[in-house]
Amino acid sequence: MSTLAFSMLQFLLLIICSLNSFSFAQKQPFLQCLSTSQIQKGQLANITYTPKSPNYPFVLDAYIRNSRFNTSRTTKPTIILTPWLENQVQAIVTCAKKSGTLLKIRSGGHDYEGLSYTSRTPFVILDMFNLRSIDINIGHQTAWVQAGATLGELYYNIWKKSKVHAFPAGVCPTLGVGGHFSGGGYGTMIRKYGLSVDNVVDAKIVDANGRILDRKGMGEDVFWAIRGGGGASFGVILAYKINLVRIPPLVTVFRVSKTLEENATNLVYQWQHIADKLDNNLFTRAYLHPVPGKKKGEFTASASFIAMFLGDANKLVAIMNKNFPELGLKKQDCKEITWIKSVLFWAQYPDGTPETALLNRKPSFASAFKMKSDYVKTPIPRNGLQGVMGMVAKSRTLELMFNAYGGKMSEIPETETAFPHRAGNIYKIQYLLYWNEAGAAVEKQNINVMRNLYNYMTPYVSKNPRESFLNYRDIDIGRSDNGPNAYNQAKVYGVKYFKNNFDRLVKVKTKFDPENFFQNEQSIPPLRNL
């Protein structure tokens, strides 16, 4: 076939796809409403993707981070909308409500259970990735950040403006600001400055009536709720205003790893007793993971101790050797680097990676995974840790991250924001399990491995409730169908995510979104469903 003939064929196919999309749209009350909304016709065509649109698969897949939810069995959205203007979001919400359309809101796509881009019933995705402006005011030490911006973009833009300012948030650069902040926001400066939400001072949200409201307009109760209670239960978060924090020109990091044969279990046991009591400028993580053993085909478990210190190496070594001499930290184990380089370090980029890598919105991984979380209030005994390390080695895939608490987290009351996990926690556990093989049987097998570990940990973690972290979404702990029994269904997972703050969140929801327009399988219900 000649080049000209091939080009003509492509052109004809594009016309056919466009006609099919138009025909599809004519049958959709939601799109019919949008066609008469404040969105200009040319703009509407540029932000609307139906299954007939040539770029629909690309737009859908671009922000799916867990391949478990990207299979032929996964229900796909009837429409994807990618607004870049705030008034477009208003129109989308208004028309979705008017037409009775289920709206799922996606920013970075890191929802571990895919709730922002999957559903058991027909739905539309409102994808925020085009709303990603970042306006930094170093003079006031503040910034407005739109929900579709990534943490990497935020960190990079702060660094371009100042070498002594930063923001306390997560270590994964591809996280979307909207979901990350509204669920709490957690990173390596947590012991010094608290969570992301502890440094949020204003926000803009589109409510169920299509209004854009700031902190004053939404009221203090709603502003409280969207700082740790999950924004998707209350509206569409457009942007957050944040307070930047001060950092030294150089910070210090280290990573020291020990295997089972090098006394790793005892080191983790000792670490538990000091992790929450160290200098507030110091954050440490104990990372338990499998590594190849000495014999071919054999695996053992390793504990990697990773740290971020807002200070120099000499002081860090002195602190560690005073409080955790068993690790035997030496100055040569440490790296004194800029804060922005520490972001690359924590994101596991190789040494020498340029700062512009933080602008990459696509994560390096594309595998299936299952994750869970726990909070630890008393040190796990040695025999309990031995069992964990044995399971890690045997599985060859299980990983656990023990993230130190204390410091600022123990100073903020659990009612200050909707995020309740504050004083009394030594550390938080993130459980991780990745796999690359496809198929329902493999998925079931791996999820069972994770659940077995979670069940094993029951005696050693928080109780009544067994607490969980909203941003480490886990559908195993409860699900709501948003029907007549929604409150009772939601309370099962709600008290685990929010403890005593759950009922206050319900009251806020009842007043702000009484018809439960904004909903998902783990959202906050209004009291009308009682």
Side-chain angles (χ1 to χ4, degrees), residues 63 65 106-114 116-117 172-176 361 363 365 369 471:
Y63 290 89
R65 303 305 184 214
R106 185 167 74 169
S107 52
H110 281 260
D111 189 317
Y112 288 168
E113 298 287 0
S116 64
Y117 53 86
C172 181
T174 57
L175 284 166
R361 295 175 69 90
F365 63 88
F369 60 83
N471 276 354

Side-chain angles (χ1 to χ4, degrees), residues 334-348:
C334 302
K335 295 180 181 179
E336 290 183 340
I337 53 180
T338 60
W339 168 73
I340 200 70
K341 288 294 186 184
S342 79
V343 173
L344 293 165
F345 168 86
W346 280 93
Q348 300 186 54

Side-chain angles (χ1 to χ4, degrees), residues 427-443:
Y427 58 95
K428 174 171 60 182
I429 303 177
Q430 181 180 19
Y431 305 96
L432 311 90
L433 197 160
Y434 298 91
W435 64 93
N436 293 311
E437 303 85 352
V442 173
E443 178 177 323

Side-chain angles (χ1 to χ4, degrees), residues 390-407:
M391 296 175 79
V392 168
K394 183 179 179 182
S395 74
R396 303 188 179 191
T397 51
L398 282 171
E399 303 172 20
L400 298 87
M401 291 186 182
F402 293 180
N403 299 291
Y405 260 50

Side-chain angles (χ1 to χ4, degrees), residues 155-173:
Y155 296 156
Y156 181 84
N157 278 272
I158 294 172
W159 171 74
K160 291 290 286 184
K161 292 273 189 177
S162 170
K163 305 304 184 267
V164 292
H165 287 87
F167 188 71
V171 301
C172 181

